[in-house]
Amino acid sequence: MEEDSRGEWDSFLKYQKLIYKIAYGFLKDHEDAIDICNDVWVEYLEEIKNEKNFITEEYRKNWILCVTKNICKNKLAKKIRIEHEKENSII
């Protein structure tokens, strides 16, 4: 891991358990929750790369939690849509 990313990783790790808990609460699946943690990390790195300035730690936390919830909602909607399509294809 590059030196710059290491500091960001340490900042991100503070919220990893919370991200997992939110994701698991939405999706009720361990593997999906782990995937969400990875997806949030990728989004976080993209924001850093695009020179996103997290002015305060509170702002960083709120941003991470908002992104986590949005990714979870999207994944849940996709799972529901796939299940619905499967049910309709059986009929």
Side-chain angles (χ1 to χ4, degrees):
M1 186 175 299
E2 293 179 16
E3 192 65 33
D4 292 342
S5 296
R6 184 68 197 166
E8 295 303 332
W9 177 245
D10 291 341
S11 294
F12 184 80
L13 280 178
K14 293 182 208 175
Y15 305 110
Q16 188 176 20
K17 286 182 183 179
L18 185 56
I19 294 166
Y20 177 85
K21 286 179 184 180
I22 290 169
Y24 190 83
F26 268 94
L27 303 167
K28 308 291 189 237
D29 182 87
H30 171 72
E31 295 299 322
D32 285 343
I34 295 293
D35 288 344
I36 296 296
C37 289
N38 292 329
D39 292 345
V40 173
W41 171 241
V42 169
E43 289 289 324
Y44 180 77
L45 285 179
E46 284 296 315
E47 289 298 308
I48 298 299
K49 189 169 95 178
N50 293 328
E51 299 182 15
K52 176 76 171 186
N53 185 9
F54 293 107
I55 299 166
T56 64
E57 193 60 31
E58 187 68 21
Y59 181 77
R60 179 191 319 268
K61 178 182 178 182
N62 288 334
W63 185 91
I64 288 171
L65 297 180
C66 183
V67 169
T68 300
K69 290 174 187 176
N70 287 337
I71 292 173
C72 287
K73 289 175 184 177
N74 291 341
K75 187 164 186 102
L76 187 59
K78 184 177 179 180
K79 286 177 93 170
I80 291 170
R81 186 175 60 249
I82 289 170
E83 286 178 20
H84 183 70
E85 288 172 358
K86 285 180 183 177
E87 289 174 3
N88 288 338
S89 68
I90 293 173
I91 296 176

